């Protein structure tokens, strides 16, 4: 697999490795006392280098140790390491706070930030997030003014999401000690690399990961949402075998907070002091393989698939109706979605039969789409009911990646789960427009839709938010109208907490949950 395909494969992992949560305790004040320990679960991380994060556990551990320039809040972006910022579609300038330090005491200056961002954007790094951060085709120019306290990022092709991208954990600022030893950084052995609140204390690979709060840390983000409770002095992440086991451990007092399935929510109902918190996080939609040789080069056949599916039933099977049926390619609260009014085909089984009778469809999808891939099974049965022969590969994430990314001749349609760290319509549009993954782009299905491409490019060049939203919605509608995709579900991420512990996830940022110990 070449580096570019490696990037694409890793991006899929980031979109589906949804096992658990981590913590980044924060407060709106500059000093906060710590107390106690938070115990939670995590899937096995692949790296401790934030720029190489390729699965949700990597992003969560990056958030624990590395601060970003801005952070997500319920009302939008708030200051992180940067106090203020200005931006256009091709440049962003950040003014830094003057009290932030690395875990070894090094002052976080504009030059420190510049060097970290340049390391993030380095060519052929294999990073999962460079394109989503700096925009397709861009190699950023980063400049620092230590006297003025500012950092500026310049790009050539318009990408008006630079500031939003600086809230994602993979853009966390790495201190000089980490940049001096990239291998040690990735292994978690470098001392003094952290810009954030926690340092790694002990690791049992594949078993547990323990962090401790820095005694000198004061650079908490400026939240506008009220955050109650205190950050933990110690964080212990343990690898748990499954969500059922996690529920048992929370109820038994061995864990404090963890991710559970919708089907286990009722176990916490009526339990004094226990709570479940539902956050919506993952947007699933169909991606058709439109390369020569696939039956889905034909628009009528693609439309037949869309007409065969009851999207509400998909939501019921996948998440027991705790999710929300999509009205676009992103969650309802995502900017621009509410104004989009996207026209999506309704289920029409008789029309689907006309289009699909006698067709053979290779559906490849990961088992994380509902319990044991139940959502994939539903889609397969809906297509069979419309007369198609369906070859379903309801498989583990690794096998799915191998097929969708590196074996484009072996699949016809897939269910794509998008975490959308950017929190904009731009994220899913990248996956359906522009150059294909075969040629170094991010277009999984080799979609050729000039109307969508043009609308997306025009939107990205706009300074006005309303005009940009209109362009993004035009791009989505162009893709849906030609059935290059079918929006399915905004799924639910459900936390359970035992008495004395809380969790918040502001602005839909799955990589930035806030765990607290109640006062």
């Amino acid at each position: 697999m070449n580096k570019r395909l490696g990037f694409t494969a890793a991006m899929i992992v980031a979109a589906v490795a949804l096992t658990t949560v981590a913590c980044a305790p924060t407060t709106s004040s500059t000093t906060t006392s710590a107390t106690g320990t938070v115990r939670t679960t995590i899937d096995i991380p692949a790296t401790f280098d934030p720029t190489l994060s390729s699965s949700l556990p990597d992003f969560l551990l990056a958030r624990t140790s590395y601060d970003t320039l801005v952070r997500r809040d319920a009302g939008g972006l708030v200051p992180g390491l940067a106090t203020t910022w200005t931006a256009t579609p091709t440049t962003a300038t950040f003014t830094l706070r003057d009290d932030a330090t690395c875990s070894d005491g090094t002052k976080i200056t504009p030059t420190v930030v510049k060097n970290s961002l340049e390391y993030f954007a380095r060519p052929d790094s294999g990073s999962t997030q460079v394109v989503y951060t700096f925009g397709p085709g861009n190699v950023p120019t980063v400049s620092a003014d230590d006297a003025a306290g500012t950092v500026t990022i310049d790009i050539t092709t318009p990408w008006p999401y630079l500031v939003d991208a600086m809230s994602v954990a993979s853009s966390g600022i790495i201190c000089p000690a980490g940049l001096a030893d990239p291998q040690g950084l990735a292994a978690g052995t470098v001392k003094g690399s952290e810009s954030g609140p926690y340092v790694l204390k002990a690791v049992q690979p594949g078993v547990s990961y323990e962090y401790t709060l820095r005694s000198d840390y004061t650079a908490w983000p400026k939240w506008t949402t009220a955050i109650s409770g205190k950050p933990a002095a110690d964080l212990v992440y343990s690898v748990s075998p499954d969500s059922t086991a996690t529920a048992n451990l929370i109820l038994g007092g061995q864990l404090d907070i963890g991710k559970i399935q919708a089907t286990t929510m009722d176990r916490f109902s009526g339990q004094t002091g226990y709570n479940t918190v539902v956050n919506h996080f993952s947007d699933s939609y169909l991606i058709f393989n439109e390369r020569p040789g696939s039956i889905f080069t034909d628009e009528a056949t693609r439309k037949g698939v869309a007409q065969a599916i009851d999207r509400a039933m998909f939501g019921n099977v996948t998440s027991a109706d705790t999710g929300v049926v999509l009205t676009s390619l992103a969650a309802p609260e995502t900017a621009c979605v509410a104004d989009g009014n996207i026209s999506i085909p309704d289920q029409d089984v008789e029309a689907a039969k006309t289009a699909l009778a006698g067709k053979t469809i290779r559906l490849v999808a990961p088992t994380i789409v509902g319990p044991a891939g139940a959502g994939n099974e539903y889609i397969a049965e809906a297509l069979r009911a419309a007369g198609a022969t369906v070859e379903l590969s309801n498989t583990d994430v690794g096998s799915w990646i191998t097929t969708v990314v590196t074996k484009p001749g072996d699949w016809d349609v897939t269910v794509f789960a998008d975490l959308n760290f950017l929190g904009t319509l731009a994220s899913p549009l990248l996956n359906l427009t522009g150059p294909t993954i075969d040629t170094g782009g991010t277009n999984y299905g080799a979609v050729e839709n000039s109307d969508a491409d043009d609308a997306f490019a025009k939107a990205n060049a706009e300074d006005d938010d309303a005009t940009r939203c209109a362009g993004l919605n035009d791009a989505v509608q162009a893709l849906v109208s030609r059935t290059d995709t079918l929006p399915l579900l905004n799924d639910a991420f459900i936390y359970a907490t035992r008495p004395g512990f809380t969790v918040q996830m502001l602005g839909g940022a799955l990589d930035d949950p806030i765990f607290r110990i109640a006062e």
Side-chain angles (χ1 to χ4, degrees), residues 11 15 281-285 329 416-421 427-429 431:
M11 192 60 224
F281 71 105
S282 179
D283 305 315
S284 59
Y285 43 87
L329 289 175
F416 191 88
D418 188 352
L419 292 186
N420 196 349
F421 287 124
S427 183
L429 286 170
N431 300 329

Side-chain angles (χ1 to χ4, degrees), residues 212-420:
T212 189
L213 183 66
R214 291 168 49 188
S215 61
D216 64 339
Y217 184 77
T218 60
W220 302 104
K222 303 295 184 182
W223 302 115
T224 57
T225 300
I227 308 296
S228 61
K230 295 182 178 181
D234 293 287
L235 309 174
V236 179
Y237 303 90
S238 299
V239 177
S240 183
D242 56 51
S243 59
T244 299
T246 298
N248 291 338
L249 292 170
I250 295 170
L251 289 167
Q254 290 84 35
L255 287 174
D256 304 311
I257 304 174
K259 179 184 181 292
I260 62 170
Q261 294 286 346
T263 52
T264 59
M265 286 182 67
D266 59 357
R267 296 185 60 191
F268 296 88
S269 179
Q271 299 278 358
T272 303
Y274 289 87
N275 291 293
T276 55
V277 180
V278 178
N279 293 283
H280 292 95
F281 71 105
S282 179
D283 305 315
S284 59
Y285 43 87
L286 294 185
I287 292 183
F288 295 93
N289 187 345
E290 300 184 30
R291 295 171 177 83
S294 170
I295 62 170
F296 291 126
T297 56
D298 177 51
E299 181 179 346
T301 307
R302 299 195 300 270
K303 187 173 182 180
V305 170
Q307 292 170 322
I309 295 170
D310 181 339
R311 299 188 303 133
M313 180 60 70
F314 176 84
N316 176 269
V317 170
T318 301
S319 63
D321 294 327
T322 57
V324 178
V325 175
L326 287 178
T327 60
S328 184
L329 289 175
E333 63 270 20
T334 303
C336 308
V337 169
D339 300 327
N341 195 27
I342 304 301
S343 177
I344 300 172
D346 293 325
Q347 185 185 34
D348 185 340
V349 176
E350 292 307 312
K353 288 178 180 178
T354 300
L356 299 181
K359 301 289 177 64
T360 298
I361 299 171
R362 298 167 299 174
L363 169 61
V364 177
T367 54
I368 54 84
V369 182
N376 308 326
E377 295 281 2
Y378 163 72
I379 290 176
E381 288 305 314
L383 299 181
R384 289 172 183 139
T389 298
V390 181
E391 299 173 1
L392 172 62
S393 295
N394 194 12
T395 186
D396 63 274
V397 172
S399 298
W400 178 55
I401 291 168
T402 299
T403 301
V404 172
V405 177
T406 68
K407 299 179 180 180
D410 289 359
W411 64 281
D412 296 314
V413 63
T414 189
V415 180
F416 191 88
D418 188 352
L419 292 186
N420 196 349

Side-chain angles (χ1 to χ4, degrees), residues 82-98:
T83 58
T84 60
W85 51 88
T86 59
T88 72
T90 56
T91 189
T93 297
F94 301 87
T95 300
L96 303 188
R97 60 191 302 161
D98 59 11

